[in-house]
């Protein structure tokens, strides 16, 4: 009798147990470039922005700039740079560990780009790529239809009526 009672209790216990369901969705973009970043670089560790004389850390999403007598790293730019549009200003990709250690060289080399607003950025390149992709598909459909028609026409011409006998 005890065995039956234990069996019923276990059976009822299994009926009340809920199956644990968990969904984990992790989306981490480590080192993904911001939309205001320059086009044409597969990897970028730092951007040097000559107009502001600032470095941007792509991985940690922080700015490093000279303040007072030392280099400061913060997540936001100081108020003196609030009028500068990051989408328009020129960015130089630098893949050094600590680019501010070679700041004098960077400043001399890239200071001529300080007011250059002709650099293509990632935000605009995505739009262009989608636009071109759609045009390309549209043009190919027309070309493929003509090619398919030409193949069928050539098949009829070169068979000399052999298919009709079979």
């Amino acid at each position: 009798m005890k065995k039956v009672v234990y069996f019923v209790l276990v059976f009822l216990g299994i009926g009340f147990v809920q199956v644990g369901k968990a969904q984990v969705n992790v989306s981490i973009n480590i080192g993904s470039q911001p939309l205001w970043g320059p086009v044409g670089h597969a990897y970028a560790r730092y951007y040097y922005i000559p107009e502001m004389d600032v470095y941007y850390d792509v991985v940690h999403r922080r700015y490093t700039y000279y303040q007072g007598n030392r280099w400061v790293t913060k997540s936001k730019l100081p108020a003196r740079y609030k009028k500068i549009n990051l989408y328009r200003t020129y960015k130089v990709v630098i893949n050094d560990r600590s680019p501010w250690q070679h700041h004098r060289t960077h400043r001399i080399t890239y200071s001529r780009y300080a007011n250059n607003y002709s650099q293509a950025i990632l935000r605009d390149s995505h739009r262009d790529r989608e636009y071109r992709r759609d045009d390309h598909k549209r043009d190919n459909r027309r070309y493929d239809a003509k090619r398919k028609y030409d193949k069928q026409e050539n098949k009829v011409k070169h068979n000399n009526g052999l298919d009709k006998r079979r």
Side-chain angles (χ1 to χ4, degrees), residues 7 21 31 40-41 93 97 124 127 133 135 156-157 160:
F7 180 72
K21 296 180 182 179
H41 300 280
V93 174
R97 233 180 233 180
D124 297 339
R127 290 182 194 160
R133 189 180 317 136
D135 283 351
V156 172
K157 283 182 186 177
N160 296 329

Side-chain angles (χ1 to χ4, degrees), residues 155-156 158-166:
K155 191 175 184 180
V156 172
H158 295 293
N159 267 345
N160 296 329
L162 293 176
D163 288 339
K164 293 179 182 177
R165 291 183 202 164
R166 290 183 186 165

